[in-house]
Amino acid sequence: MYFKILVAYLLGYITIEVEGYYIERFINICNSQKIFLWNLKRPKTTIMKANIAIQDFKRLKPIVKKTKCKIKISQKKGIPFFFHRYQKRKIFLLLSFIVILGIITLSNFIWNIEIIGTDKINPQEIEQLLADNDFKSGKSKANLNTKQVIDQVRLQRADIAWMGIEINGTNAIVKIVEADLKPDIIPEDEFCNIVATKAGMITKVSAQNGTPLVKEGEIIQKGSVLVGGWLEGKYTGTRYVHATGEVQAKVWYSEKIKIPFNQDKKELTGNEEKKYSVKINNFEINLGKRLSKFENYDTIETTKKLRLFSNFYLPIEINEKVYQEYQKQPVSYSLEEAKKMGEEELMKKLDEQIENKESILDKKVIENHTEEYVEVEVIYEVLENIGTKEKIVF
């Protein structure tokens, strides 16, 4: 049935309206003579609408006469009627053909790469890595080997546990599952030391197996051996073991900043300017002047890729730059105000570096100022387990 409808569309078909008291008889005769009717509708008992091929319509005359029905054509559809309708609009048809051909051609390429699943990893690093492996915007789908690209990226990035590439239209969705990186686990039957991951002052040494090499109050550097992977006995001599234990130490985190007493504070005036540019693949066209008329301004830039459907991107980008004007207002701070500003900013930076805030033992603020600025340093004293296992190499 669907094949007959397709042929009728290619050769042309019409929608007819049949009116009379013997509609059922009309349909039965058409069926017996193998005249194909489809999309039948009965808006009224005496009226029927249906689609019929052009060549079959010519065979209806004796049936209409026999059933005493009236028939009229309400619509003409199909390719022949389309070309007949637009035969005087040759330029329109030509442009339509070029657009359709262009869309078909563009559909064979990747025009957008979407990276999802990254939290700790910078998506731009993955995008650059993909480009280095010949997977980038403008890549032909016919020459695309996604498995090879995935294998190459995973070989170069140990922080990726799983990676997949899904192609939808002209859009490539790159899915990333980040690896939970952990220290290398040394098997229990191998010899190892416990070494310091950071510099600090030892507060506790607890060795379940091995020889403690540091004591409380001792200052050690990063990489120092804390617990040796050996035991010495009077009768057994030196015997190597797999060192186990815990070593805690006070470690210090510090940050510095200079805060001038006299600064220029930015205040937005509310005036804005918008500039647009169109980027077709790697060719950019600026729509209007690129520079702003404002003397002082902040720039907010957004880029949007054009697409026809949800996953059919085009190699066309619309770039919008919003210039927001601001004025510089001179502001003066006292020593205490500048010191407080610097301290708050440094504490925010240090808090980001420390996972367990309860392990902070002390905070120290050091100030040094001149006539122009104050230099602030904030030091955190933190209690941490600084031991990690390191294999003994003979």
Side-chain angles (χ1 to χ4, degrees):
M1 183 181 73
Y2 293 108
F3 178 73
K4 290 182 178 180
I5 295 173
L6 177 61
V7 172
Y9 180 78
L10 294 173
L11 300 178
Y13 69 93
I14 56 178
T15 300
I16 59 172
E17 186 176 299
V18 182
E19 185 177 358
Y21 293 101
Y22 305 103
I23 299 295
E24 287 81 4
R25 189 182 177 194
F26 176 87
I27 296 172
N28 290 335
I29 295 173
C30 287
N31 287 337
S32 64
Q33 296 187 12
K34 299 190 183 307
I35 297 175
F36 180 55
L37 301 174
W38 75 94
N39 198 22
L40 278 74
K41 294 179 182 178
R42 294 284 293 271
K44 293 182 180 180
T45 308
T46 57
I47 297 176
M48 179 195 73
K49 292 183 177 181
N51 295 335
I52 186 172
I54 294 175
Q55 64 270 23
D56 288 337
F57 177 73
K58 299 174 183 178
R59 301 166 56 194
L60 293 180
K61 189 174 182 181
I63 301 174
V64 170
K65 189 175 181 181
K66 191 173 184 179
T67 57
K68 297 179 181 180
C69 292
K70 294 180 181 179
I71 189 168
K72 66 178 181 180
I73 299 171
S74 59
Q75 283 184 315
K76 298 178 180 179
K77 298 179 181 179
I79 292 178
F81 296 113
F82 175 82
F83 281 108
H84 178 74
R85 191 181 306 142
Y86 292 104
Q87 62 181 348
K88 295 182 181 179
R89 303 182 185 179
K90 295 180 181 178
I91 296 177
F92 171 79
L93 288 174
L94 179 61
L95 290 175
S96 299
F97 175 76
I98 293 172
V99 169
I100 293 171
L101 183 63
I103 291 173
I104 293 171
T105 303
L106 291 174
S107 66
N108 294 314
F109 295 85
I110 299 295
W111 296 115
N112 185 66
I113 298 175
E114 182 181 354
I115 299 171
I116 59 176
T118 54
D119 183 21
K120 298 176 183 177
I121 302 173
N122 188 343
Q124 293 181 348
E125 294 179 11
I126 303 299
E127 190 173 342
Q128 182 58 51
L129 198 54
L130 290 169
D132 293 341
N133 288 280
D134 198 28
F135 185 83
K136 53 189 174 182
S137 180
K139 176 69 176 178
S140 171
K141 291 193 284 187
N143 302 323
L144 188 60
N145 187 338
T146 56
K147 185 180 183 304
Q148 184 179 349
V149 173
I150 292 169
D151 291 342
Q152 289 297 321
V153 172
R154 291 198 61 190
L155 280 173
Q156 297 174 64
R157 296 291 300 231
D159 51 357
I160 296 178
W162 180 87
M163 178 178 173
I165 298 176
E166 182 181 335
I167 307 296
N168 287 328
T170 60
N171 186 38
I173 302 173
V174 180
K175 298 178 181 179
I176 300 288
V177 176
E178 296 178 340
D180 186 12
L181 295 178
K182 296 178 180 179
D184 293 335
I185 298 175
I186 300 174
E188 293 291 333
D189 58 349
E190 292 188 6
F191 307 138
C192 68
N193 299 318
I194 296 178
V195 300
T197 57
K198 298 175 182 178
M201 185 178 75
I202 302 297
T203 59
K204 178 184 176 183
V205 181
S206 175
Q208 282 81 45
N209 198 21
T211 302
L213 301 177
V214 293
K215 56 186 178 180
E216 292 183 18
E218 186 176 341
I219 303 295
I220 51 91
Q221 301 298 320
K222 180 180 178 180
S224 300
V225 179
L226 306 175
V227 179
W230 63 83
L231 293 171
E232 293 184 356
K234 184 177 180 181
Y235 302 105
T236 58
T238 302
R239 178 168 57 92
Y240 289 96
V241 297
H242 182 99
T244 57
E246 182 183 5
V247 181
Q248 288 186 345
K250 292 179 182 178
V251 296
W252 295 274
Y253 294 81
S254 66
E255 292 284 349
K256 282 184 181 181
I257 192 172
K258 286 183 180 179
I259 305 292
F261 297 130
N262 299 313
Q263 300 182 24
D264 288 329
K265 188 178 180 181
K266 295 194 300 185
E267 288 188 1
L268 295 175
T269 64
N271 297 326
E272 286 187 350
E273 232 184 354
K274 293 184 179 181
K275 304 285 185 180
Y276 295 93
S277 64
V278 179
K279 190 175 181 181
I280 304 173
N281 209 5
N282 293 320
F283 181 70
E284 189 171 3
I285 304 170
N286 293 316
L287 307 178
K289 293 182 179 179
R290 195 170 182 83
L291 297 177
S292 173
K293 65 181 180 181
F294 301 136
E295 182 179 355
N296 300 309
Y297 57 87
D298 287 328
T299 305
I300 301 173
E301 187 171 353
T302 56
T303 300
K304 185 177 181 181
K305 285 196 173 185
L306 292 187
R307 57 183 177 180
L308 295 179
F309 315 108
S310 60
N311 285 306
F312 194 99
Y313 286 83
L314 298 174
I316 302 172
E317 294 180 0
I318 305 297
N319 182 273
E320 180 189 63
K321 285 186 178 180
V322 180
Y323 300 104
Q324 296 180 333
E325 184 186 34
Y326 66 82
Q327 292 179 342
K328 294 180 179 180
Q329 298 292 340
V331 181
S332 296
Y333 297 102
S334 65
L335 174 61
E336 287 303 316
E337 288 174 334
K339 179 183 174 182
K340 186 178 179 181
M341 286 173 57
E343 185 179 343
E344 289 176 352
E345 188 171 337
L346 294 178
M347 285 176 62
K348 189 181 294 185
K349 287 183 179 180
L350 289 170
D351 287 342
E352 291 174 355
Q353 300 175 36
I354 300 168
E355 294 182 5
N356 184 12
K357 304 297 184 294
E358 294 180 358
S359 63
I360 300 173
L361 300 175
D362 190 22
K363 181 188 79 172
K364 188 176 182 181
V365 181
I366 301 173
E367 166 211 321
N368 182 25
H369 65 273
T370 65
E371 293 181 357
E372 291 82 21
Y373 64 85
V374 59
E375 184 179 61
V376 183
E377 182 180 11
V378 176
I379 303 171
Y380 277 5
E381 185 178 79
V382 184
L383 183 64
E384 290 185 0
N385 185 350
I386 63 166
T388 188
K389 294 180 180 181
E390 183 179 76
K391 186 176 178 180
I392 298 175
V393 181
F394 296 96

